[in-house]
């Protein structure tokens, strides 16, 4: 039977099955062994503020404290806070709790909340919530369930990324190819094409991979489009490095880095950095980073939080702790637009290595900037480091600062 006949039968089944379902967004309910199920308590929050924005901030606060069960209970109130036109805060509450449950691999809870919000409470899901569920289903190997939901939502580029990867991993690459070619998404499909190219390369079908690269032609040739096509070409660099054919790999690599548009956008550069480090090409990785940093200095969007984390992580993995700190300082010298997450990653790594003095210095620097909010994970890293060093009083002081900061912020949000 041809692949198209198989697809036709499969999707015919989806249509017949979905027509018999009373819910608009079908998700499976039989996820044995797929994470815990939250035991919801009776409603104890009769005085809870159900206005969309305060409720969203409360859920975010609880998620920052890693209290998923209480956050889950509050998030359910979003169904009561909605108006005829869903506001952004209500949608964000749904996205946050479903995403947090998926990140914690509590898939049963994530699927229950998706069903509760968008079937029982008749809200319309955002693409973000649906993407969380589709990725979770693909991770669980339930690609057919993911496809079924896919046909009931408005997909975007991330949706196609998750689905094509799930199909390729399941050995159903021809279905992934048909899915992409029949796409009606107006977004970039570079990640989906990269999944397909990688899949065909792994099957030894080089001609098909090159054909797909030629087929992927973004609309126009702006700097953004150059980088989208470059993202697909990264798959060829990784393939040849995996095959230990360095000459071919470096030919593809040089075709990318010689393009003056490459370092304008960080995602492609980040993908290359990860591949180069993965296969031991450290010299080329550091050269690329410096090239990206030079573009950053000229005002190009070539270095972002992920770039910094990749480089610092590599230094610490190799035991080159001071080099990691110097890399962070080098980026900081180029810009004043660092984010709190950039500090958090380095502070956490310094704490893990017992470099408490440097962690304190970075923590103080972060605390002094009123434009950046310290994440709960930063407080926790500092508390753990203080306890490990026997500085219990400092740990307690940090814990108090964490509670005070979050309660103050929550109070401000709920009054707004």
């Amino acid at each position: 039977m041809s692949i198209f006949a198989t697809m036709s039968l499969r999707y015919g089944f989806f249509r017949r099955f979905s027509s018999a379902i009373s819910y608009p967004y079908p998700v499976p309910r039989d996820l044995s062994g797929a994470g815990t199920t939250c035991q919801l308590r009776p409603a104890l929050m009769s005085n809870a503020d159900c206005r969309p924005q305060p409720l969203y901030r409360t859920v975010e606060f609880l998620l920052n404290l890693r209290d998923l069960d209480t956050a889950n209970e509050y998030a359910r109130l979003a169904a009561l806070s909605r108006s005829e036109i869903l506001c952004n805060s209500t949608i964000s509450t749904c996205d946050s709790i479903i995403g947090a449950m998926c990140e914690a691999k509590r898939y049963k809870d994530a699927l229950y909340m998706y069903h509760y919000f968008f079937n029982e409470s008749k809200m319309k899901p955002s693409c973000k919530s649906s993407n969380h569920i589709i990725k979770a289903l693909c991770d669980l190997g339930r690609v057919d369930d993911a496809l079924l939901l896919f046909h009931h939502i408005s997909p975007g580029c991330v949706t196609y990324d998750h689905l094509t990867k799930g199909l390729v991993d399941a050995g159903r690459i021809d279905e992934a190819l048909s899915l992409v070619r029949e796409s009606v998404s107006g977004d970039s499909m570079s990640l989906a094409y990269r999944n397909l190219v990688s899949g065909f390369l792994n099957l030894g079908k080089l001609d098909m991979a090159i054909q797909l690269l030629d087929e992927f032609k973004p609309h126009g040739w702006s700097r953004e489009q150059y980088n989208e096509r470059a993202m697909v070409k990264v798959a060829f660099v990784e393939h040849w490095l995996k095959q230990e054919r360095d000459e071919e790999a470096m030919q593809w690599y040089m075709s990318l880095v010689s393009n003056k548009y490459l370092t304008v956008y960080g995602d492609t550069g980040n993908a290359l950095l990860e591949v180069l480090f993965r296969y031991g090409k450290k010299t080329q990785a550091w050269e690329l980073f410096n090239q990206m940093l030079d573009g950053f200095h000229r005002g190009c969007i070539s270095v972002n939080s992920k770039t910094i984390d990749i480089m610092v992580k590599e230094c610490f993995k190799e035991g080159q702790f001071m080099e990691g700190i110097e890399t962070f300082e080098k980026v900081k010298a180029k810009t004043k637009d660092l984010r709190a997450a950039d500090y958090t990653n380095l502070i956490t790594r310094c704490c893990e290595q017992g470099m408490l003095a440097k962690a304190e210095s970075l923590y103080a620097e972060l605390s002094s900037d009123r434009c950046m909010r310290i994440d709960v994970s930063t407080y926790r890293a500092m508390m753990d480091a203080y306890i490990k060093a026997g500085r219990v009083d400092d740990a307690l002081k940090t814990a108090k600062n964490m509670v005070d900061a979050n309660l103050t912020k929550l109070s401000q949000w709920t009054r707004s």
Side-chain angles (χ1 to χ4, degrees):
M1 182 180 294
S2 71
I3 181 61
F4 296 104
T6 302
M7 291 280 286
S8 177
L9 286 173
R10 190 184 301 278
Y11 291 156
F13 165 76
F14 286 156
R15 287 192 293 271
R16 291 193 302 275
F17 180 72
S18 61
S19 65
I21 311 175
S22 58
Y23 298 120
Y25 305 105
V27 288
R29 308 294 299 214
D30 55 330
L31 287 180
S32 56
T36 60
T37 301
C38 181
Q39 298 297 319
L40 292 173
R41 298 168 289 178
L44 300 175
M45 299 162 292
S46 57
N47 295 323
D49 192 339
C50 289
R51 290 178 299 160
Q53 189 172 28
L55 182 61
Y56 166 64
R57 298 302 187 184
T58 300
V59 171
E60 282 290 291
F61 170 67
L62 292 166
L63 291 177
N64 282 334
L65 293 177
R66 304 297 189 266
D67 188 352
L68 267 65
D69 289 328
T70 306
N72 192 68
E73 200 163 348
Y74 270 91
R76 285 169 57 85
L77 299 177
L80 305 176
S81 70
R82 65 192 182 95
S83 57
E84 290 186 7
I85 300 177
L86 290 180
C87 69
N88 290 335
S89 294
T90 298
I91 295 171
S92 295
T93 299
C94 302
D95 292 342
S96 292
I97 193 64
I98 291 171
M101 290 301 184
C102 286
E103 184 179 359
K105 299 191 183 302
R106 293 175 55 168
Y107 297 130
K108 284 184 181 179
D109 294 327
L111 284 161
Y112 177 84
M113 294 304 286
Y114 189 90
H115 174 75
Y116 172 74
F117 286 136
F118 309 124
N119 287 325
E120 291 185 3
S121 302
K122 302 186 186 308
M123 298 188 202
K124 183 177 179 180
S126 69
C127 194
K128 190 172 184 179
S129 282
S130 298
N131 288 340
H132 286 315
I133 296 300
I134 284 175
K135 183 179 186 301
L137 291 171
C138 288
D139 289 346
L140 290 169
R142 303 189 62 149
V143 184
D144 285 334
D145 288 323
L147 280 167
L148 180 58
L149 178 59
F150 167 81
H151 288 289
H152 289 75
I153 64 171
S154 299
C157 61
V158 176
T159 319
Y160 282 97
D161 176 24
H162 294 330
L163 265 179
T164 51
K165 187 177 187 307
L167 286 166
V168 169
D169 289 345
R172 293 160 59 174
I173 194 169
D174 290 328
E175 290 179 59
L177 179 60
S178 297
L179 192 74
V180 169
R181 285 179 169 169
E182 295 169 7
S183 163
V184 294
S185 174
D187 297 328
S188 166
M189 299 289 284
S190 59
L191 293 175
Y193 267 88
R194 183 182 172 189
N195 292 334
L196 286 169
V197 167
S198 294
F200 280 112
L201 287 172
N202 289 336
L203 293 172
K205 297 183 178 181
L206 179 60
D207 290 345
M208 187 62 195
I210 292 176
Q211 179 183 326
L212 277 172
L213 177 63
D214 293 337
E215 181 181 305
F216 180 69
K217 294 179 179 178
H219 305 293
W221 286 107
S222 67
R223 289 179 173 179
E224 293 93 333
Q225 277 81 43
Y226 271 109
N227 279 268
E228 287 173 12
R229 196 162 190 270
M231 181 66 78
V232 180
K233 293 175 75 174
V234 172
F236 289 90
V237 178
E238 181 167 21
H239 171 71
W240 293 122
L241 286 174
K242 189 186 301 183
Q243 300 299 316
E244 297 184 351
R245 294 173 62 173
D246 288 9
E247 185 175 347
E248 288 93 334
M250 288 301 103
Q251 286 176 356
W252 281 92
Y253 172 72
M254 292 307 299
S255 74
L256 287 170
V257 297
S258 61
N259 189 316
K260 64 180 180 179
Y261 292 136
L262 172 65
T263 58
V264 176
Y265 293 92
D267 290 343
T268 305
N270 290 341
L272 274 174
L273 286 172
E274 289 179 323
V275 167
L276 291 170
F277 279 128
R278 188 177 302 133
Y279 293 96
K281 300 298 180 183
K282 298 178 183 179
T283 300
Q284 291 86 347
W286 281 101
E287 288 175 352
L288 176 59
F289 171 69
N290 288 326
Q291 181 182 345
M292 294 169 67
L293 196 59
D294 183 56
F296 195 34
H297 183 53
R298 297 195 308 269
C300 300
I301 313 171
S302 56
V303 172
N304 54 30
S305 292
K306 185 174 182 180
T307 318
I308 301 169
D309 191 43
I310 290 170
M311 304 310 293
V312 172
K313 179 180 179 181
E314 179 64 22
C315 290
F316 274 68
K317 187 180 78 172
E318 296 296 319
Q320 299 171 339
F321 308 130
M322 293 311 300
E323 286 84 348
I325 294 169
E326 288 169 5
T327 299
F328 177 84
E329 296 294 340
K330 188 184 296 186
V331 176
K332 188 172 69 173
K334 299 277 188 177
T335 180
K336 295 180 179 179
D337 296 328
L338 288 179
R339 299 169 55 198
D342 303 325
Y343 281 88
T344 295
N345 291 333
L346 184 55
I347 289 171
T348 301
R349 289 197 169 91
C350 287
C351 289
E352 290 171 349
Q353 297 300 325
M355 302 171 64
L356 190 49
K358 185 59 185 178
E360 286 181 310
S361 173
L362 291 165
Y363 176 76
E365 190 175 320
L366 178 59
S367 302
S368 66
D369 192 331
R370 295 184 178 182
C371 296
M372 291 192 282
R373 186 165 64 93
I374 302 178
D375 186 83
V376 171
S377 60
T378 311
Y379 286 115
R380 286 186 167 180
M382 292 300 300
M383 285 187 287
D384 289 343
Y386 280 134
I387 290 173
K388 188 175 180 180
R391 295 168 56 178
V392 178
D393 288 343
D394 288 322
L396 291 173
K397 181 180 178 181
T398 304
K400 181 179 182 302
N401 290 340
M402 177 184 72
V403 173
D404 289 347
N406 281 279
L407 287 179
T408 299
K409 183 64 68 174
L410 182 61
S411 175
Q412 293 171 349
W413 285 335
T414 54
R415 286 199 305 268
S416 60

